[in-house]
Amino acid sequence: MTRNSKAGLALIAPLLVLILAGFVLPIASTALKAFDNPEVSAALPRTTVALGQWDGAAPLPDAVPDAFVADLQDAMGNRAFGQMTRRLNFEESGMRSLFFKARRAAPGLERPYAQALAEVDPEWGRIETWQMLKTHSNPYTASYVLRSLDLRMEPDGTIVKVEPEQAIFVDLFIRTFAISIWVTVIAVLLGYPTAYVLSTLKGRMESLALLCVLVPFWISILVRSTAWFIILQREGPINAALQFAGLIGEPQAIIFTRPAVYIAMVHVLLPFFILPLLSVMKRIRADYVRAAASLGARPWQQFLLVYLPMTMPGVAAGALMVFMLSVGFYVTPALVGGLRDQMVSYYIAYFTNTTINLGMAAALSLLLLVMTGVLVAVAGKLMPGMGGKQGARS
Amino acid sequence: MMRAVRIFAVLVLIFLVSPILVIFPLSFSSGEVLTLPTPGWSLRWFQDFFLNERWLLATKHSVIVGLATMVVATVLGTLAAFGLYLSDFRGKKVVMAVLSLPMVVPVIVTASSMYVAFSVVGLTNSLTGLVIAHTIIAAPYVVITVLAAVQTFDMTLMRAALSLGANPVRAFIEVVMPMIMPGIVAGAVFAFATSFDELVIAIFLTGPEQFTLPRQMFAGLREMLSPTIAAAAVVMIGFSVVLLLITEYARTRGERLKQRAAGE
Amino acid sequence: MSSENPPKEQFVRFEGVRKSYDGTVQVVRDLNLSIREGEFLTLLGPSGSGKTTTLMMLAGFEKPTAGKILFDGQVINDMPTYKRNFGMVFQNYALFPHMTVAENVAFPLRMHRFPKSEQAERVTRALDMVQLHRIADRHPTQLSGGQQQRVALARALVFEPKMVLMDEPLGALDKQLREHMQLEIRALHEKLGLTMLYVTHDQSEALTMSDRVAIFNDGEIQHIDAPSEVYDRPRNAFVAKFMGENNAVEGTVTARDGDVITLRTAAGRDLHGTAVDDLAIGQGAQVLVRPEQISLGGLPADGFDSFEATVADKIYHGDHLRIVLEIAGLGQVTATFAHAEAELHPEIGQTLTIRWRIANALAFAPDGPAR
Ligand SMILES: Nc1ncnc2c1ncn2[C@@H]1O[C@H](COP(=O)(O)OP(=O)(O)OP(=O)(O)O)[C@@H](O)[C@H]1O
Ligand SMILES: [Mg+2]
């Protein structure tokens, strides 16, 4: 390594360390959290050991209920127990009360415990209950990720679909990507001609038009979403104007609908598409299109065969930007969309802040990251000009 | 054909600015509800904003966090940009990729991950934690703008200064700095703007005691929609426009310098 | 190309063509120009004189503000570019960066719907012609400047256009490559017999390549003729001064004998000149003498002007020698000599006799105020 490189590395180090510690580490721990399963082993350490020695087949060895009752007696009033019941209840409803019932009864139980527990609740007499406990005594679990795909694991290890009323996440992902793709497509359709016209302007007109793109670009996403929130209200200016003009009798519900989400998101993200495309278009001299014309290309051929391919790197860069931002959008759909218009981000926030189910939040985050990455990579393969090696020359 | 495209573009530009233009009359309305046309004009909602302790505190927090983020992100980002420019080691690509990660990971994922990790070390519900988080998402942009400025800088000017008897430090301060200053200013302003406008991370990392202006607005929107929100939005727009003007000034200045350097 | 028929004299005609971009400044004023079929015509002139604009109007990228452009007897003012069928080479080549060399060259063939089989064959032939068949699959960004230039040339020629327009096609090349490409383009012209309209502001390029040169200034053609005519018999002072170097001596006309005038300088010295402009006795005038027309030594003789001169400076130029001479009452003049001629080896400070042919000393009206 040269002296320059050492000095250079020393200059990079502070930021690199900050990003590694404050960003890469948290994200990595999120990725681990999606599989982390500490609750059962923390609350029931002896049971965990006993379950580990059991092969999972009937009959249940006595060591397991013995250890379980011992753990229950220690678990009086400790937090780990509560966390475990919540964790298991997430897997199968009814678990919470089942465990609390057992804990309440634990001090008065007599051997053989297997039978005594079954008398507290017949569920304890079923082998599946213990199999489930065994599954979740494992320090790692796939169940969060499975649940994020509307799947779950049966006590015997087979993977099945969750009940239809709980199956919301596949739809959620489809909706998230569908909304993002549509927003990207609309942004491309609106932004391309606009960027083109902007690239042909000169002097005052150029500054004015550019300002119309730059001002929204610089104004906070929240402020712009708020503007749409206000404008699209039932009592808002649009309804008022339409009523005033006599076009509608009753105010129409625009806010909290899918179109409202599209309008606001496209508005927020359009500058992110126009600006990179504009810089590419500005660098393409008129000569190329002229050359095409002189070689016999008709106007539509000049556009389709020369101008469009040459601006493709800008389209790809802008579209990628819009897509990546919209996949993670939270504020705008939260403000102007209804519950059925929310995206994955809404549920990540919900699981992190409201129900504090960090495993689910982590699994959704992980899947969002992975799916976005895969989609972007696939788009990179399919879209021309994204490789960068044939970019327009200045 | 071209005419139709032009009209289309004008409509798109109107679409881009109209919501911002609608906010202004609403914030100066004398009415209680957000509707147009306004029943009359007044400054009552601005009065409401500027006399309300919550809004003022939130504004103060936003400015503090924004400035702190700007300073830290600009210093770290500028150093890193120079480091990247100077060095050429194996794994430089990897370092660049790591530095640009915060720009490509969806903010919601960043925010929720930081929330979990920061809570372990007691950085949630604290402005310090928010500054760290904002620095992490803003610094990569500083790196990009400064690196771009440094890369277009003609190193023969530095050599010329050395040949004319300036020592390297003097040469750097007198020749290199003025030329890349516009890039640094642009990066700094962008860092401030990023922090000032940021909401998602603030939702996760702040409690009511640390609410920033966007966070307070978001809370206000969910509670009750009053024209004070429109006034707050106008205040934020004011900040944004000032920042935009500073950047444009730095940009045109930078271009002029570069042109002068090229002898045009 | 119909080689049996005699070449058309008025293959292309500009009739009273004017162009203004902004409505006030006339970039091209009253252009009348005929291009012969098969000729190599160069537009030469200082920057901003309207050469590119003229070319753009012929190519169809700009519309004349007034006047007519005819091609083969037909007005083409409103014909779109893609129907005109003129091959074109741009200063920066404008090779499509997203296509390979072969795809670039095939582009006009596709546009003009040449049969598929013929396309491949023509691309091969065109690339052979410019010696580039080995790099057919590369992208333009991977080529050197000279290679790009040749691809642009192949692309403009491959579809057998009715004529070829080139706007400073060699401007981006270094001197040696430029001279090489000049010869290549010239050879291609001879081989293909195509009509070529070429724009440059490099006068030596114009002189070596063209059948005819049109000198532009201020949106007007100052002189159009064969290179030797333009150089040796310039029609006006602008053309004389624009083409090559000159020693200018100013004074007042004191006598006139046919073409030959006598000019008296402010210092009272007389010399002679051959009038090109109409010059009357008593009028101000200037006499221009090219450095290479001045010879050292030699006796005063009929048809010559000769002077006593002192060598003020001597500069070695490799292929020639440049001597600055001080002539009493005339000022300084510069003379150039091939080495063989410079046997006299004048030393600085030495006084000697010099002379030039009066027929080569051209007299013009003084330069007007710059427009
Ligand atoms: N598109 C345009 N809009 C406005 N003015 C133009 C345009 N193109 C050229 N001009 C002006 O017209 C004049 C002639 O330009 P033109 O390009 O024809 O000159 P040129 O002889 O080709 O010069 P050069 O040797 O520098 O290429 C110049 O003053 C130029 O500024
Ligand atoms: Mg030109």
Side-chain angles (χ1 to χ4, degrees):
Chain A
M1 196 181 285
T2 65
R3 216 181 66 208
N4 263 354
S5 292
K6 267 192 198 142
L9 208 53
L11 292 175
I12 303 169
L15 183 60
L16 190 61
V17 169
L18 181 70
I19 287 179
L20 286 175
F23 180 82
V24 176
L25 205 61
I27 300 268
S29 98
T30 293
L32 288 180
K33 263 222 160 46
F35 301 99
D36 201 15
N37 197 26
E39 290 87 356
V40 172
S41 48
L44 307 171
R46 276 165 286 205
T47 316
T48 302
V49 173
L51 284 167
Q53 282 155 5
W54 175 40
D55 63 358
L60 181 71
D62 282 340
V64 175
D66 289 358
F68 182 56
V69 172
D71 278 337
L72 284 183
Q73 282 165 350
D74 283 1
M76 280 305 160
N78 88 22
R79 267 186 61 203
F81 189 81
Q83 281 168 356
M84 177 197 71
T85 58
R86 215 170 29 204
R87 165 81 184 89
L88 292 175
N89 208 55
F90 167 73
E91 293 296 332
E92 210 172 315
S93 49
M95 280 291 152
R96 193 177 164 83
S97 60
L98 186 65
F99 272 86
F100 275 105
K101 227 191 252 177
R103 190 172 74 171
R104 237 175 293 129
L109 289 182
E110 302 270 332
R111 279 174 199 273
Y113 289 132
Q115 219 171 332
L117 281 165
E119 279 160 19
V120 171
D121 192 314
E123 280 292 311
W124 289 117
R126 293 179 58 222
I127 193 83
E128 287 83 3
T129 308
W130 296 100
Q131 282 173 337
M132 185 209 165
L133 196 57
K134 176 175 168 62
T135 309
H136 291 293
S137 67
N138 193 315
Y140 299 104
T141 178
S143 66
Y144 293 123
V145 172
L146 289 175
R147 177 60 77 81
S148 302
L149 299 166
D150 291 344
L151 300 171
R152 66 185 177 85
M153 207 190 275
E154 290 281 301
D156 62 5
T158 55
I159 292 173
V160 296
K161 286 204 173 125
V162 298
E163 292 69 36
E165 71 271 13
Q166 285 191 329
I168 54 168
F169 294 113
V170 169
D171 269 359
L172 178 66
F173 275 104
I174 292 175
R175 188 195 307 154
T176 301
F177 286 106
I179 290 179
S180 302
I181 288 170
W182 275 115
V183 165
T184 309
V185 168
I186 299 171
V188 170
L189 294 180
L190 294 185
Y192 194 95
T194 309
Y196 173 70
V197 171
L198 246 71
S199 77
T200 61
L201 296 179
K202 287 208 179 67
R204 266 212 142 85
M205 286 303 286
E206 185 194 12
S207 313
L208 186 67
L210 199 58
L211 213 62
C212 292
V213 183
L214 278 177
V215 167
F217 178 75
W218 274 84
I219 289 175
S220 134
I221 293 179
L222 172 67
V223 169
R224 286 187 282 154
S225 305
T226 305
W228 285 110
F229 182 72
I230 293 171
I231 292 170
L232 300 174
Q233 292 286 317
R234 276 186 87 84
E235 301 80 25
I238 289 208
N239 266 320
L242 290 177
Q243 269 180 303
F244 186 75
L247 289 175
I248 51 170
E250 282 292 292
Q252 300 291 305
I254 315 176
I255 190 139
F256 308 137
T257 63
R258 191 62 62 87
V261 173
Y262 283 131
I263 293 174
M265 281 183 73
V266 167
H267 180 262
V268 167
L269 291 169
L270 197 50
F272 290 92
F273 178 75
I274 292 180
L275 291 174
L277 180 59
L278 183 61
S279 81
V280 169
M281 284 177 167
K282 282 243 150 203
R283 270 184 279 143
I284 296 179
R285 286 189 315 270
D287 279 3
Y288 290 100
V289 172
R290 289 179 162 175
S294 79
L295 298 169
R298 281 139 207 283
W300 65 268
Q301 289 172 315
Q302 294 161 23
F303 174 75
L304 222 59
L305 299 176
V306 175
Y307 194 73
L308 186 62
M310 287 187 69
T311 50
M312 223 40 213
V315 174
L320 188 69
M321 188 86 192
V322 170
F323 179 77
M324 302 246 285
L325 285 171
S326 62
V327 161
F329 247 46
Y330 171 65
V331 175
T332 312
L335 279 179
V336 302
L339 194 58
R340 313 215 53 233
D341 307 311
Q342 297 306 320
M343 312 213 287
V344 174
S345 53
Y346 179 85
Y347 284 88
I348 294 177
Y350 172 77
F351 282 123
T352 312
N353 291 334
T354 311
T355 65
I356 323 218
N357 184 343
L358 297 183
M360 268 318 279
L364 290 175
S365 295
L366 184 65
L367 285 179
L368 184 65
L369 267 183
V370 170
M371 287 184 193
T372 310
V374 168
L375 225 71
V376 167
V378 169
K381 282 263 179 298
L382 297 182
M383 279 240 256
M386 267 181 62
K389 64 169 186 275
Q390 0 173 308
R393 291 186 315 131
S394 52
Chain B
M1 179 62 201
M2 195 51 217
R3 215 184 144 77
V5 175
R6 279 214 194 93
I7 292 169
F8 181 83
V10 169
L11 291 177
V12 171
L13 293 179
I14 290 173
F15 166 68
L16 277 175
V17 289
S18 56
I20 298 154
L21 297 182
V22 165
I23 281 282
F24 277 83
L26 289 175
S27 70
F28 291 101
S29 167
S30 62
E32 299 278 340
V33 286
L34 287 160
T35 190
L36 285 178
T38 55
W41 306 103
S42 83
L43 286 173
R44 58 188 285 210
W45 305 111
F46 283 94
Q47 206 171 11
D48 218 37
F49 178 93
F50 283 109
L51 293 181
N52 183 319
E53 223 161 272
R54 299 211 65 84
W55 285 110
L56 286 183
L57 189 65
T59 309
K60 191 176 126 197
H61 286 156
S62 273
V63 171
I64 291 173
V65 172
L67 289 177
T69 300
M70 180 179 88
V71 171
V72 182
T74 306
V75 170
L76 296 188
T78 305
L79 289 180
F82 274 107
L84 287 171
Y85 177 73
L86 288 177
S87 56
D88 184 25
F89 49 88
R90 264 190 302 146
K92 183 170 159 181
K93 282 235 168 71
V94 179
V95 170
M96 301 258 267
V98 171
L99 292 185
S100 53
L101 269 184
M103 296 188 294
V104 296
V105 170
V107 193
I108 186 78
V109 174
T110 306
S112 123
S113 301
M114 281 179 170
Y115 166 72
V116 176
F118 283 20
S119 63
V120 176
V121 288
L123 281 173
T124 48
N125 293 346
S126 96
L127 290 181
T128 316
L130 194 59
V131 170
I132 293 176
H134 283 177
T135 300
I136 287 171
I137 58 165
Y141 293 98
V142 178
V143 174
I144 289 180
T145 43
V146 176
L147 195 58
V150 177
Q151 272 164 349
T152 58
F153 177 76
D154 182 3
M155 267 303 153
T156 52
L157 291 180
M158 174 86 178
R159 294 197 193 108
L162 293 175
S163 78
L164 296 172
N167 67 36
V169 175
R170 276 294 291 276
F172 184 83
I173 291 171
E174 303 230 354
V175 178
V176 182
M177 278 308 263
M179 296 289 289
I180 59 168
M181 208 55 205
I184 296 178
V185 170
V189 175
F190 203 81
F192 182 86
T194 302
S195 164
F196 195 79
D197 292 347
E198 206 287 325
L199 171 59
V200 178
I201 292 178
I203 289 176
F204 283 78
L205 291 189
T206 60
E209 302 298 305
Q210 297 86 29
F211 270 11
T212 56
L213 194 46
R215 184 68 189 87
Q216 181 62 41
M217 254 179 91
F218 191 62
L221 279 169
R222 306 218 130 173
E223 284 160 17
M224 193 192 75
L225 187 59
S226 89
T228 315
I229 300 272
V234 167
V235 170
M236 284 194 70
I237 291 174
F239 270 101
S240 304
V241 168
V242 169
L243 295 176
L244 169 62
L245 292 180
I246 296 175
T247 334
E248 283 299 295
Y249 175 75
R251 194 177 59 82
T252 47
R253 210 183 122 84
E255 265 163 25
R256 262 211 310 279
L257 272 175
K258 236 170 266 160
Q259 271 172 15
R260 245 187 272 155
E264 278 171 26
Chain C
M1 180 132 294
S2 45
S3 46
E4 297 88 38
N5 301 338
K8 295 169 184 134
E9 270 301 311
Q10 306 206 335
F11 195 48
V12 174
R13 251 204 84 62
F14 288 79
E15 281 180 8
V17 170
R18 295 166 195 275
K19 175 71 188 176
S20 169
Y21 287 103
D22 53 8
T24 51
V25 183
Q26 295 271 326
V27 172
V28 169
R29 358 168 151 236
D30 197 22
L31 178 68
N32 293 290
L33 168 67
S34 299
I35 302 175
R36 292 184 198 131
E37 193 174 10
E39 84 168 324
F40 195 120
L41 175 66
T42 298
L43 310 186
L44 175 67
S47 195
S49 55
K51 311 180 293 288
T52 298
T53 303
T54 303
L55 202 75
M56 291 295 150
M57 288 191 291
L58 182 53
F61 301 128
E62 298 290 352
K63 282 213 179 0
T65 319
K68 279 190 287 192
I69 301 177
L70 295 95
F71 181 77
D72 218 351
Q74 232 185 324
V75 178
I76 56 167
N77 283 27
D78 293 319
M79 185 190 277
T81 303
Y82 64 89
K83 286 192 184 151
R84 296 194 183 194
N85 229 339
F86 298 157
M88 195 153 178
V89 181
F90 295 81
Q91 180 168 11
N92 295 294
Y93 319 133
L95 297 178
F96 306 131
H98 55 291
M99 299 181 192
T100 62
V101 166
E103 285 165 352
N104 261 288
V105 177
F107 186 87
L109 302 174
R110 285 201 287 138
M111 294 302 108
H112 290 103
R113 295 170 204 252
F114 280 66
K116 271 266 154 13
S117 54
E118 202 185 329
Q119 286 189 15
E121 186 194 325
R122 274 178 179 269
V123 169
T124 313
R125 243 193 299 142
L127 288 177
D128 272 347
M129 180 179 73
V130 292
Q131 295 127 42
L132 285 180
H133 41 277
R134 270 173 323 190
I135 55 166
D137 294 326
R138 286 211 221 152
H139 280 271
T141 40
Q142 300 165 304
L143 304 183
S144 72
Q147 289 171 328
Q148 291 182 28
Q149 219 292 316
R150 278 187 252 177
V151 176
L153 210 54
R155 187 178 71 174
L157 295 172
V158 69
F159 64 109
E160 290 186 357
K162 295 182 188 147
M163 70 182 295
V164 179
L165 315 179
M166 306 193 209
D167 192 358
E168 306 199 23
L170 307 181
L173 301 181
D174 64 49
K175 184 166 181 289
Q176 240 170 353
L177 199 53
R178 196 159 66 221
E179 282 169 3
H180 178 76
M181 286 308 299
Q182 286 171 5
L183 296 180
E184 263 188 51
I185 292 175
R186 181 74 220 181
L188 278 173
H189 173 250
E190 246 139 56
K191 189 167 135 205
L192 303 174
L194 272 172
T195 314
M196 291 194 175
L197 183 62
Y198 192 98
V199 168
T200 181
H201 56 226
D202 176 341
Q203 52 143 313
S204 86
E205 190 166 297
L207 294 178
T208 49
M209 296 180 75
S210 326
D211 296 326
R212 286 197 302 161
V213 182
I215 310 285
F216 267 65
N217 189 37
D218 243 346
E220 280 173 334
I221 294 184
Q222 305 289 329
H223 192 175
I224 172 166
D225 214 330
S228 57
E229 289 295 311
V230 171
Y231 188 84
D232 291 334
R233 270 178 283 283
R235 273 248 298 275
N236 58 34
F238 172 82
V239 177
K241 287 186 169 170
F242 185 73
M243 302 299 290
E245 246 189 294
N246 280 286
N247 294 298
V249 180
E250 292 185 8
T252 313
V253 180
T254 54
R256 176 154 189 163
D257 174 13
D259 269 354
V260 177
I261 57 129
T262 306
L263 188 80
R264 178 160 297 163
T265 67
R269 192 77 190 257
D270 279 352
L271 73 162
H272 298 92
T274 308
V276 178
D277 290 344
D278 224 7
L279 296 170
I281 292 172
Q283 207 183 331
Q286 57 180 334
V287 169
L288 304 184
V289 185
R290 294 196 187 279
E292 70 270 20
Q293 308 284 11
I294 300 174
S295 50
L296 297 184
L299 298 167
D302 230 17
F304 285 86
D305 258 352
S306 73
F307 298 94
E308 289 284 303
T310 315
V311 178
D313 201 359
K314 186 170 91 171
I315 304 139
Y316 178 72
H317 272 269
D319 58 344
H320 69 271
L321 198 63
R322 175 176 294 262
I323 295 172
V324 181
L325 300 156
E326 183 72 46
I327 303 173
L330 286 189
Q332 286 196 336
V333 299
T334 304
T336 55
F337 302 94
H339 279 292
E341 263 184 89
E343 281 157 354
L344 293 163
H345 287 299
E347 296 302 325
I348 293 178
Q350 189 181 336
T351 302
L352 36 74
T353 313
I354 59 162
R355 66 172 193 179
W356 59 72
R357 252 179 221 288
I358 292 170
N360 290 331
L362 302 179
F364 300 95
D367 295 336
R371 249 207 295 230

